[in-house]
Amino acid sequence: MARATAPARKALTTAIAGTLAFVMFFPILWIVVLSFKSEVDAIRAPLQVLSSGWTLDSYGAVQERSDYFKHFWNSVIISLGSTFLGLLVAIPAAWAMAFVPGKQTRNVLMWMLSTKMLPPVGVLVPIYLLFINFGLLDTRIGLVVVLMLINLPIIIWMLYTYFREIPGEILEAARMDGASLREEVLYVLTPMALPGIASTILLNVILAWNEAFWTLNLTASRAAPLTAFIASYSSPEGLFYAKLSAASVMAIAPILIMGWFSQKQLVRGLTFGAVK
């Protein structure tokens, strides 16, 4: 009886997982479909959209109207720059919280996480004024700093959980062998937590790549990333569905490709320390 039940349960689980995956992926799939349609066909009923002709005109129009590669490189620089700058701060901070005894560690972690609960619009005006005073408005450096500070609590939390899975005795042995604090962090702790650090990098690159609120409010043209590139196709004249879909596909394609090729590292990092 148990043998007969196991395949049925496995098939049911697979069906449910497949259905949920399709539901989550369907918006992206529909955007891809609309990107290959004309503006007239894009606003038709779904069945009419699927039966209409396919064209690359929207991609050509998007490239003619906007400099895609400028926005693309802005997104690359801002997302990678904010992530690696955050790692420079988060690795020592997570090390201290994971291996230096203290009763306030949990309180500090909760305080840092509570900053993510503040609505971004609540601090928009002071940050905007600071950007104007320091000449950081519409600059990559300004966005790198802001996105690093926004994602820093998540980076520290993730690294803290990974570092806690590493036995403290290994670090103590390194100290007994004469390793300095810098050598302990760089040559002992970091290599052992590499899967967790890799998954942290991937997740925060995605978060920075998709950030829209700050990039739309703190940039104009020079440092505008792909989020601003997409938003430019929403105008008072109306929504250009086909062109907007083409711009969206061009914006999400790089991060989808990166996630596809790095999914093994991401899963390995997220399950790091789960099995003893």
Side-chain angles (χ1 to χ4, degrees), residues 46-97:
L47 293 179
Q48 293 178 334
V49 170
L50 294 175
S51 61
S52 60
W54 299 76
T55 178
L56 293 172
D57 291 345
S58 295
Y59 288 95
V62 167
Q63 186 57 32
E64 289 179 3
R65 172 180 166 179
S66 306
D67 189 352
Y68 168 77
F69 289 102
K70 184 189 77 171
H71 295 87
F72 170 77
W73 284 115
N74 284 340
S75 288
V76 170
I77 293 171
I78 291 168
S79 57
L80 292 180
S82 62
T83 299
F84 285 104
L85 183 61
L87 285 177
L88 292 178
V89 178
I91 289 178
W95 171 86
M97 294 180 184

Side-chain angles (χ1 to χ4, degrees), residues 139-195:
T139 63
R140 295 170 178 172
I141 296 176
L143 284 177
V144 165
V145 173
V146 165
L147 295 186
M148 182 274 289
L149 294 174
I150 290 172
N151 293 328
L152 189 60
I154 296 178
I155 300 176
I156 294 178
W157 258 96
M158 292 184 67
L159 292 180
Y160 169 78
T161 58
Y162 297 137
F163 288 174
R164 288 289 295 174
E165 299 296 332
I166 297 176
E169 291 79 6
I170 296 178
L171 300 182
E172 293 177 2
R175 294 179 202 136
M176 293 179 64
D177 288 337
S180 63
L181 178 59
R182 174 178 169 275
E183 293 171 338
E184 176 186 333
V185 174
L186 288 180
Y187 302 118
V188 180
L189 180 65
T190 302
M192 294 186 64
L194 201 56

Side-chain angles (χ1 to χ4, degrees), residues 34-39 55-68 71 229 232-233 240-248 250:
L34 291 182
S35 69
F36 290 101
K37 303 295 180 177
S38 64
E39 291 294 345
T55 178
L56 293 172
D57 291 345
S58 295
Y59 288 95
V62 167
Q63 186 57 32
E64 289 179 3
R65 172 180 166 179
S66 306
D67 189 352
Y68 168 77
H71 295 87
F229 167 75
S232 66
Y233 288 89
F240 300 93
Y241 287 106
K243 295 182 181 64
L244 179 61
S245 299
S248 300
M250 295 170 70

Side-chain angles (χ1 to χ4, degrees), residues 106-127:
R106 181 65 60 176
N107 294 335
V108 173
L109 288 170
M110 289 303 300
W111 171 78
M112 286 191 301
L113 192 61
S114 69
T115 60
K116 295 291 295 180
M117 304 175 189
L118 176 69
V121 71
V123 292
L124 174 61
V125 173
I127 290 181

Side-chain angles (χ1 to χ4, degrees), residues 94-106:
W95 171 86
M97 294 180 184
F99 298 108
V100 177
K103 297 181 180 180
Q104 301 301 321
T105 297
R106 181 65 60 176

Side-chain angles (χ1 to χ4, degrees), residues 199-248:
S199 64
T200 303
I201 291 174
L202 291 172
L203 180 61
N204 283 274
V205 166
I206 294 172
L207 291 175
W209 188 279
N210 294 332
E211 176 59 43
F213 179 83
W214 294 107
T215 55
L216 292 177
N217 285 286
L218 299 178
T219 62
S221 59
R222 289 183 303 167
L226 287 172
T227 47
F229 167 75
I230 297 174
S232 66
Y233 288 89
S234 174
S235 63
E237 291 81 9
L239 288 175
F240 300 93
Y241 287 106
K243 295 182 181 64
L244 179 61
S245 299
S248 300

